[in-house]
Amino acid sequence: KVFYRIDITCSSGEIRSEQDYLGKMPAGFQMMAALLGDLDNSDGRGKVFFRQDSSPAVLSRVSQRIRQAFPRDDEEPSNALIVTWENMAAKGSTERGDRLDTKGNTFQLVVAFMKSSSVAILLYPRDGIHFFSTTVGGDSKVLEAGFNEGLVTSWWWGTKQGTYYQTTTDEEISIRTLTEKTNSGRRGVWVYEIGASPIFLETHTVTPEPETDEPEYEILNEFESEYSESETVTPTYTTTEMVQPRSTDAEARYRPDPRYSDPEQRYTDPIKSRFSPVEPDPAGPRYTSPEQVRPIPPHPRPQHPQIVVVDEDEDLDINVFAYNLETCAHNRHKCSQFADCRDYSNGYCCHCRPGFYGNGKDCVAEGKPQRMNGKVSGRVFIGNSPLPVEFSNNDLHSYVVANDGRAYVAISNIPHSLGPSLQPLSSLGGVIGWAFALEQPGFHNGFSLVGGVFSRQADVVFYPGNERLSIRQQFKGIDEHDHLVVSTELEGRLPAIPLGSSVQINPYKEIYQYDQNLITSSSNRDYTITSPTGDLQTQSYQWRQTISFQSCPQDDASRTVPPTQQLSVDQIFVMFDTDNRLIRYAMSNKIGSVHTSVPEQNPCFTGRHGCDINAVCRPGEGLQFSCECTAGFAGDGRYCQDVDECRETPQVCGPNAICGNQPGTFRCECSAGFVFASDGRTCIEDSRPVDHCQRGTHTCDVSERALCRYTGGSSFDCSCLPGFEGDGRTCRDVDECHQDRCHRDAICTNTQGSYTCQCRPGFHGDGFQCSPTEHEKTPCEREREHAQTASSSSTGFFSFFRPRPAVSQYVPQCDEHGAYEPTQCHTSIGQCWCVDANGQEIPNTRTGSRPPGVVTPPPLIGPTPRPDVRPIAGGTHLLFAQSGRIEHIPLDGYDMKKDESKPLLHVPDRVVIAVAYDCVDKMVYWTDITGPAISKASLDGGDVVPVITTDLQSPEGIAIDHVARLLFWTDSMRDTIEVSKLDGSQRRVLFDNDLVNPRPIVTNPAYGRLYWADWNRDGPKIEMSNMDGTERVVLVKDDLGLPNGLTFDPDNQQLCWADAGTRKVECMDPHRRIRIKIAEGIQYPFGLVSFGKNLYYTDWRREAVISVDRYTQKETDQFQPQKRSRLYGIATTPTQCPQAYNYCSNNGGCSHLCLPRLGGFTCRCPDNVDGRCVDGNL
């Protein structure tokens, strides 16, 4: 029986719903797909014709096509099934409003039945294919063609998915090629033998019934008439063995070959065919994509009687569905980028290349330090407590110096009730010690054998109390940051250990027994508890664990592993850090023989070699050894420096890709508008439907003036918001005051998109209706009276809610009618500004100088300098972060005094990202993502002071309001923007929505404004709000890529940013929205700071600080530190604070947080408030 649908060719089994196979191939039933996609004939123009035909004329033409592909002597087709799809449309295209004259796709399938086999002939006319993809599940999916075996039954495997041989690829060019190439001597005609026995034994058509008015013409003839005989050429073959055709039963049976051509490695065809695909038109364009499917080429046509001898067993029963998909051609992407794929008779294996180790699917460089990140959750009872301690998603971080086997593990946010009792469980995170243990000669650590994907089950029994704990860990491989990822779950009971106790664990040995895909071990461990009073108590526990993994059965190397190995663990350190709620473990690990022998003395096997942590130790004779930098690093082995592959080999990632250097390696990401192809390496143009409104890539006016409406596909409409007029792409404000909407005794004030009406002095009402009044005060008069009353009294109940000015109270000036004077001045601070009719300050109009005492730095009284915080001389400096330290460069005017650059601060094993400076206390603040933490230190020397150490994941931006004494920061993993006092107290989340990757953040204290950038690759943007979180708006969203750096110049009121995606530096007046390009064609900027006429930015690729004159728009200088590595955040240390005043200079009378905003301030409560707190706007 044969079943068919409009979107499938033919099937020998009943076809299920299209949701079961569209976009989900292979399907569970047999089918032949001439052109599979979500096709539609509901428009009345598309038609499907089918019939079974045994007429001599049709069989003659079918026989001719078969002989051109497979020369035969006497076998003729007995009948043929012909199915024709004519003018088929893509489903949904008519609903999108496509024109009625748009052509659909036309194509044909002929199945010829012969005595010994069946043949499928696919015909694609040159002008028959007009679209190459359809929408499936909301995504654009390329059409496909091929043969699907469905579910098959085997006595050995049971039921499993059979072969799906696809004759096209995931690229549209392969669909276009169907009409331009051939394997039968005629372009657009493809012939395949589909088995040694017919797939379709009984032909039976089912609904829908064929149309009775099927046109009387031969589709086969009509298709072929488009290709004249002169267009076909003699097929050429690469073999040197040619013979005359002969009529024998040993004639090779051909089947489709589902392998791909690979430029790096050649694979042997199972039927050992030695020929190249037929190119019927050598003068035409050649399709040379390495991923293109190569169909089996035909025997030549009779008039060119040269054929290829195929070495094949005469009795071999070949079936199109018998091909093994477990080959490198189909699975190369499953191997590590540092591995080679190798085919075996029963499958494939991945093998790490020289200089790397692992199981092939995960490979790491020899000698390179390794990191492990993950989450820990659990439900644990302590001692005899009836209530469990529950915790979830606590961070686990681990670091291993691979060339000496030393491992460090830390788990954060551990409750005080649980932390002390976890101290004996050093192996909780010590599994990474086994994974990367220092290998003795002839033995292998865990990662060398199992890679990074495995599961671990450990059961612990404590004595003498018989408490039991279960540990389940799932290792998920290496992520894009080269970190091993693990999830851990704990369940059970632990012996109680009092808070303040320390634990000493004796060195121990653990025997690991290896079997196929399974490793087991057990050991008994003693530990000594020292109580806070000095009492000693020795206890023990029994440890049993099972590690399961999936090895490569074809890999003979795994069989050479000793059946038993011994892990030796010593120098064990455990501690519960009560202040930071961290449990810490450290230990040294070696893997070697279980038999007692003289320990290896070569420094490479003891770990006492002195090689760089990024080097591998190579043993020599006796005690001789050498140090060799690991892959991705360069140097003499004693000192190794990261190699920037992106800079040294700019095209390493290929076209349309961005290369990002990482320690020891690099990462490729596709540029905006491009996505990875199916090979995971090549960047191709993203042709999927895009909701430009949601992504922010539309051409409508800004969201404050226009509305973008998604209309399907990649289309959208633009319309102006009420109060604006235009075409939606450009919208202009409507001045409603010219339309006499207010009362005649009212003043109309136009605003963007709206207007306000206010009764004139001497009248009262809402502005739309005004009535005369004799005694009602105007808003200006009321505010003036309120200010005068407040200034005469600084005590009492209301002082709790009102600001207490630092200098004197500002009193507004009113004219003789009670209206606000257009120019307002505050004499005590020597500043004037313009206001509108409502008394609101007009941005960017404030003038005057800062009087002495507005912001007065307190006297510096602090600890004496210590070696890791070096005081610097006076004057303005640049501060920049470089991995685990902060350096400073003195400025002479705007010139960098490079010879005087020095480190300011060393924080080993930390990655410092953002830097900020408090000009009042002369304190440097920074974020690091390894803690993670926010810390500070005095510019004049002293201790490093932790500011915030909890509830952080990846703090990447930091900013200070030196007037209101506030600290702001972004967290790109929590997707939040937060605020606190400068000492880290009174934390409050300002924003936790509509953020994806927030990074840089800056403040404008004079206006109470906050600016930040979000480098979300799907919709990067720069936003603004008041410091209290109100009036949040998007400032920039067009022509952005990766806005890494952000700075604000208070003197010129300019917001500037550095973009690593567009490779530009730009500035904008945030009040008037005027955007200016400062520099373009830069490399990969990260941090940015403004000082006078110059902008200074750090660049990852140049590993330098670069200065740019914003007026000449030219680069003026650069500084490269002696230690070459990535530079991160940058800041300045001005000798005087910028002139600024806001209402929170003395906390505004608020009980907790005073947050400035434009023209006022807001009292806010922290998220975790203790005692009485009052929110309010003032």
Side-chain angles (χ1 to χ4, degrees):
K1 295 183 179 180
V2 177
F3 300 83
Y4 81 95
R5 290 179 64 113
I6 62 172
D7 51 5
I8 293 183
T9 299
C10 292
S11 170
S12 62
E14 186 170 357
I15 300 173
R16 303 171 189 170
S17 170
E18 61 184 22
Q19 285 80 12
D20 294 336
Y21 59 85
L22 280 181
K24 301 176 181 178
M25 294 296 292
F29 54 91
Q30 288 186 348
M31 60 176 284
M32 293 183 291
L35 210 56
L36 178 61
D38 200 357
L39 307 182
D40 186 15
N41 65 346
S42 61
D43 57 1
R45 296 183 298 136
K47 293 184 173 22
V48 181
F49 307 103
F50 59 90
R51 70 179 187 277
Q52 185 174 356
D53 200 324
S54 57
S55 64
V58 168
L59 295 182
S60 175
R61 296 196 64 83
V62 170
S63 180
Q64 181 182 359
R65 295 278 74 80
I66 296 174
R67 287 196 185 96
Q68 284 184 330
F70 308 115
R72 303 172 186 271
D73 290 337
D74 54 3
E75 192 163 15
E76 296 288 344
S78 58
N79 60 81
L81 172 68
I82 302 172
V83 186
T84 306
W85 291 261
E86 183 179 28
N87 208 21
M88 302 301 297
K91 192 168 185 178
S93 60
T94 55
E95 299 172 2
R96 296 194 301 266
D98 293 354
R99 298 185 312 169
L100 292 177
D101 58 350
T102 300
K103 294 183 178 180
N105 287 350
T106 298
F107 48 95
Q108 186 180 64
L109 166 74
V110 178
V111 181
F113 303 101
M114 293 173 289
K115 183 177 181 180
S116 63
S117 65
S118 300
V119 173
I121 306 173
L122 300 169
L123 302 102
Y124 304 97
R126 180 182 300 174
D127 194 35
I129 308 299
H130 296 282
F131 60 88
F132 307 102
S133 61
T134 60
T135 300
V136 177
D139 295 325
S140 177
K141 181 170 177 57
V142 177
L143 300 173
E144 55 186 307
F147 304 83
N148 182 63
E149 188 178 15
L151 296 177
V152 296
T153 303
S154 168
W155 66 272
W156 180 260
W157 296 103
T159 300
K160 67 173 184 177
Q161 179 64 49
T163 303
Y164 175 43
Y165 167 53
Q166 191 174 348
T167 61
T168 57
T169 70
D170 293 336
E171 299 179 7
E172 289 188 351
I173 192 172
S174 67
I175 305 299
R176 187 180 298 110
T177 301
L178 291 176
T179 68
E180 299 171 353
K181 301 296 177 68
T182 181
N183 68 350
S184 67
R186 278 183 188 270
R187 280 182 287 186
V189 181
W190 301 81
V191 183
Y192 300 95
E193 186 173 55
I194 55 177
S197 61
I199 294 179
F200 306 108
L201 300 179
E202 176 187 357
T203 304
H204 178 70
T205 56
V206 298
T207 57
E209 293 296 333
E211 300 187 30
T212 56
D213 56 347
E214 177 181 355
E216 293 295 333
Y217 60 85
E218 179 57 71
I219 299 296
L220 193 65
N221 285 339
E222 183 174 291
F223 278 12
E224 296 181 3
S225 65
E226 300 185 20
Y227 305 104
S228 64
E229 292 293 329
S230 62
E231 289 183 333
T232 59
V233 297
T234 304
T236 58
Y237 302 93
T238 58
T239 182
T240 58
E241 184 177 1
M242 300 291 183
V243 297
Q244 296 296 324
R246 53 187 180 274
S247 304
T248 67
D249 292 337
E251 178 77 22
R253 303 298 186 194
Y254 289 82
R255 58 176 178 168
D257 184 354
R259 277 167 308 239
Y260 293 76
S261 168
D262 188 284
E264 297 180 359
Q265 187 173 1
R266 305 300 180 197
Y267 302 95
T268 304
D269 186 36
I271 59 174
K272 301 180 181 179
S273 57
R274 301 190 300 270
F275 39 68
S276 298
V278 177
E279 294 289 350
D281 187 2
R286 299 178 65 84
Y287 179 52
T288 59
S289 169
E291 296 297 331
Q292 168 66 14
V293 174
R294 304 296 190 186
I296 282 292
H299 291 288
R301 298 175 56 182
Q303 58 265 46
H304 304 285
Q306 291 181 330
I307 66 171
V308 181
V309 174
V310 179
D311 299 327
E312 183 177 84
D313 190 340
E314 296 181 9
D315 298 327
L316 182 62
D317 184 17
I318 300 174
N319 186 284
V320 67
F321 300 118
Y323 181 72
N324 178 19
L325 288 176
E326 291 299 311
T327 64
C328 290
H330 292 85
N331 298 278
R332 183 182 305 280
H333 63 282
K334 297 179 181 178
C335 297
S336 166
Q337 61 176 320
F338 306 115
D340 294 319
C341 187
R342 187 180 304 164
D343 278 319
Y344 295 86
S345 59
N346 296 324
Y348 74 97
C349 281
C350 304
H351 299 278
C352 296
R353 295 170 185 160
F356 298 86
Y357 66 99
N359 68 340
K361 294 191 176 181
D362 286 314
C363 298
V364 297
E366 293 179 347
K368 181 181 177 182
Q370 299 300 324
R371 293 182 182 274
M372 179 174 73
N373 293 331
K375 300 292 184 180
V376 182
S377 303
R379 187 172 183 269
V380 179
F381 294 85
I382 305 299
N384 297 321
S385 172
L387 299 176
V389 179
E390 297 188 22
F391 50 98
S392 177
N393 290 327
N394 292 39
D395 288 327
L396 181 150
H397 298 283
S398 182
Y399 181 80
V400 177
V401 182
N403 59 16
D404 67 9
R406 188 72 176 165
Y408 305 87
V409 182
I411 305 174
S412 63
N413 295 328
I414 299 297
H416 289 89
S417 58
L418 173 64
S421 299
L422 283 178
Q423 292 180 95
L425 292 176
S426 59
S427 287
L428 179 62
V431 64
I432 196 174
W434 164 77
F436 297 102
L438 186 62
E439 298 175 334
Q440 303 302 293
F443 295 89
H444 305 280
N445 60 29
F447 193 86
S448 297
L449 300 176
V450 306
V453 179
F454 59 94
S455 60
R456 180 199 198 200
Q457 171 73 41
D459 296 300
V460 191
V461 181
F462 295 87
Y463 298 105
N466 206 38
E467 295 90 351
R468 296 175 181 269
L469 182 74
S470 173
I471 304 173
R472 293 185 298 275
Q473 291 182 300
Q474 188 68 41
F475 292 80
K476 304 175 183 178
I478 296 177
D479 65 11
E480 66 272 16
H481 303 294
D482 279 342
H483 295 173
L484 185 61
V485 180
V486 60
S487 63
T488 303
E489 293 184 5
L490 307 180
E491 188 169 1
R493 188 176 296 273
L494 289 171
I497 296 179
L499 187 65
S501 301
S502 62
V503 171
Q504 177 68 41
I505 301 178
N506 298 327
Y508 62 88
K509 300 181 185 298
E510 188 172 0
I511 296 177
Y512 283 74
Q513 303 196 18
Y514 295 79
D515 199 352
Q516 186 74 17
N517 298 334
L518 190 68
I519 301 173
T520 60
S521 73
S522 62
S523 65
N524 293 313
R525 303 179 191 176
D526 296 329
Y527 60 95
T528 302
I529 304 171
T530 304
S531 69
T533 60
D535 296 332
L536 299 179
Q537 183 181 10
T538 300
Q539 296 185 357
S540 65
Y541 62 82
Q542 184 183 65
W543 173 279
R544 296 179 183 273
Q545 71 172 349
T546 301
I547 297 172
S548 57
F549 62 99
Q550 183 63 48
S551 65
C552 185
Q554 291 80 27
D555 187 4
D556 294 332
S558 63
R559 304 189 183 103
T560 64
V561 178
T564 58
Q565 295 190 124
Q566 181 170 271
L567 179 71
S568 300
V569 183
D570 58 12
Q571 301 181 47
I572 306 169
F573 169 80
V574 298
M575 183 188 73
F576 177 59
D577 184 345
T578 56
D579 293 335
N580 295 308
R581 297 170 58 199
L582 288 172
I583 183 77
R584 299 182 186 274
Y585 306 106
M587 64 215 73
S588 293
N589 308 269
K590 295 183 179 68
I591 193 81
S593 172
V594 299
H595 304 293
T596 303
S597 60
V598 178
E600 290 286 343
Q601 297 302 315
N602 189 287
C604 291
F605 302 124
T606 64
R608 301 185 183 94
H609 43 66
C611 298
D612 189 275
I613 62 171
N614 292 301
V616 59
C617 183
R618 302 293 188 191
E621 294 291 335
L623 299 179
Q624 299 297 314
F625 69 96
S626 61
C627 300
E628 178 184 318
C629 292
T630 188
F633 291 85
D636 60 2
R638 298 283 182 175
Y639 176 77
C640 299
Q641 185 177 6
D642 176 50
V643 175
D644 189 343
E645 296 86 354
C646 302
R647 185 176 62 183
E648 295 192 0
T649 313
Q651 302 302 319
V652 65
C653 286
N656 306 316
I658 299 172
C659 179
N661 187 52
Q662 295 181 347
T665 183
F666 62 95
R667 184 182 179 189
C668 299
E669 295 182 354
C670 291
S671 304
F674 293 84
V675 296
F676 282 116
S678 57
D679 61 1
R681 300 185 298 272
T682 307
C683 292
I684 59 174
E685 189 170 0
D686 189 357
S687 58
R688 296 172 299 178
V690 176
D691 185 348
H692 292 283
C693 296
Q694 183 179 15
R695 182 176 290 186
T697 54
H698 57 79
T699 56
C700 301
D701 206 336
V702 296
S703 58
E704 292 82 5
R705 295 192 291 267
L707 173 67
C708 179
R709 185 175 62 87
Y710 177 60
T711 58
S714 297
S715 303
F716 59 91
D717 285 337
C718 301
S719 58
C720 295
L721 294 174
F724 297 91
E725 58 184 4
D727 60 1
R729 286 170 169 77
T730 301
C731 297
R732 299 172 299 277
D733 175 57
V734 175
D735 190 347
E736 294 86 354
C737 293
H738 290 164
Q739 302 173 1
D740 295 331
R741 298 194 178 187
C742 299
H743 192 270
R744 62 178 180 272
D745 294 319
I747 299 173
C748 179
T749 303
N750 186 55
T751 61
Q752 286 291 306
S754 186
Y755 65 100
T756 60
C757 298
Q758 184 177 5
C759 294
R760 297 180 183 276
F763 295 86
H764 67 276
D766 59 3
F768 297 98
Q769 294 293 329
C770 298
S771 304
T773 182
E774 295 181 0
H775 304 291
E776 184 167 327
K777 294 183 176 65
T778 65
C780 181
E781 292 169 335
R782 289 196 298 270
E783 184 180 359
R784 180 174 61 187
E785 180 181 8
H786 180 81
Q788 291 169 343
T789 302
S791 63
S792 64
S793 175
S794 60
T795 61
F797 176 79
F798 290 98
S799 65
F800 183 82
F801 299 99
R802 295 204 186 108
R804 295 190 291 271
V807 181
S808 67
Q809 179 71 38
Y810 157 67
V811 179
Q813 295 94 54
C814 311
D815 64 14
E816 67 272 17
H817 302 294
Y820 287 95
E821 289 283 0
T823 301
Q824 297 285 315
C825 294
H826 192 173
T827 57
S828 66
I829 66 172
Q831 293 186 5
C832 296
W833 59 92
C834 298
V835 299
D836 59 20
N838 297 317
Q840 293 295 315
E841 180 179 348
I842 299 174
N844 207 26
T845 61
R846 189 175 287 252
T847 61
S849 60
R850 171 180 175 269
V854 173
V855 177
T856 304
L860 292 171
I861 302 175
T864 58
R866 45 181 257 180
D868 59 348
V869 183
R870 304 179 183 180
I872 64 177
T876 300
H877 294 69
L878 291 176
L879 301 177
F880 64 88
Q882 185 181 28
S883 188
R885 63 181 179 177
I886 298 175
E887 293 198 16
H888 71 90
I889 315 170
L891 291 181
D892 183 5
Y894 297 113
D895 298 328
M896 292 182 284
K897 302 168 73 173
K898 306 174 192 177
D899 295 338
E900 299 181 22
S901 67
K902 295 179 182 178
L904 169 69
L905 176 71
H906 286 279
V907 279
D909 299 326
R910 301 290 182 180
V911 179
V912 179
I913 299 296
V915 182
Y917 179 66
D918 175 23
C919 58
V920 176
D921 291 339
K922 298 188 183 303
M923 299 290 289
V924 181
Y925 290 74
W926 68 89
T927 66
D928 83 75
I929 60 174
T930 49
I934 298 175
S935 307
K936 67 179 179 179
S938 173
L939 204 63
D940 296 321
D943 291 325
V944 172
V945 180
V947 178
I948 296 176
T949 59
T950 60
D951 295 327
L952 295 174
Q953 291 188 26
S954 185
E956 297 187 11
I958 188 172
I960 290 174
D961 179 349
H962 66 279
V963 180
R965 316 305 291 152
L966 295 173
L967 179 70
F968 299 87
W969 69 92
T970 62
D971 194 314
S972 66
M973 292 186 68
R974 286 166 55 90
D975 296 333
T976 57
I977 295 176
E978 296 188 59
V979 63
S980 75
K981 293 288 190 179
L982 282 180
D983 61 1
S985 64
Q986 301 185 28
R987 284 178 65 171
R988 180 183 176 92
V989 175
L990 288 178
F991 300 108
D992 60 1
N993 64 314
D994 199 20
L995 295 171
V996 178
N997 293 113
R999 178 171 284 162
I1001 185 169
V1002 292
T1003 61
N1004 179 4
Y1007 287 86
R1009 292 290 201 184
L1010 196 63
Y1011 308 94
W1012 68 90
D1014 188 329
W1015 58 270
N1016 174 17
R1017 292 187 180 277
D1018 293 329
K1021 59 185 175 180
I1022 299 174
E1023 294 188 85
M1024 173 183 72
S1025 77
N1026 288 324
M1027 290 186 184
D1028 64 355
T1030 60
E1031 298 183 17
R1032 178 182 179 181
V1033 296
V1034 176
L1035 282 178
V1036 185
K1037 63 180 178 180
D1038 298 326
D1039 193 22
L1040 288 179
L1042 293 173
N1044 280 333
L1046 197 66
T1047 186
F1048 185 80
D1049 178 5
D1051 296 331
N1052 298 292
Q1053 292 291 303
Q1054 289 284 309
L1055 180 70
C1056 301
W1057 63 91
D1059 194 316
T1062 63
R1063 299 172 61 191
K1064 297 177 184 178
V1065 176
E1066 298 182 80
C1067 293
M1068 169 185 277
D1069 182 335
H1071 308 297
R1072 294 179 291 174
R1073 310 288 177 92
I1074 299 175
R1075 186 171 175 177
I1076 303 172
K1077 181 177 64 181
I1078 304 298
E1080 62 181 339
I1082 60 179
Q1083 295 297 310
Y1084 202 100
F1086 189 88
L1088 179 70
V1089 69
S1090 170
F1091 180 69
K1093 68 183 183 67
N1094 272 11
L1095 292 171
Y1096 300 86
Y1097 70 89
T1098 59
D1099 193 292
W1100 275 11
R1101 291 183 179 168
R1102 296 171 64 174
E1103 295 177 345
V1105 177
I1106 297 103
S1107 62
V1108 176
D1109 188 315
R1110 77 170 79 190
Y1111 301 119
T1112 63
Q1113 299 182 356
K1114 295 186 180 299
E1115 179 180 323
T1116 58
D1117 199 3
Q1118 78 163 1
F1119 167 73
Q1120 287 183 317
Q1122 184 176 4
K1123 178 186 177 183
R1124 301 293 299 279
S1125 64
R1126 286 181 175 177
L1127 309 185
Y1128 292 87
I1130 187 170
T1132 60
T1133 64
T1135 55
Q1136 293 184 347
C1137 292
Q1139 298 179 10
Y1141 170 81
N1142 62 43
Y1143 292 96
C1144 290
S1145 59
N1146 68 337
N1147 208 46
C1150 297
S1151 62
H1152 288 75
L1153 283 172
C1154 179
L1155 303 180
R1157 56 183 170 83
L1158 186 62
F1161 69 97
T1162 303
C1163 295
R1164 288 287 187 230
C1165 297
D1167 289 335
N1168 296 315
V1169 63
D1170 294 326
R1172 179 168 175 262
C1173 180
V1174 179
D1175 277 341
N1177 295 340
L1178 294 171

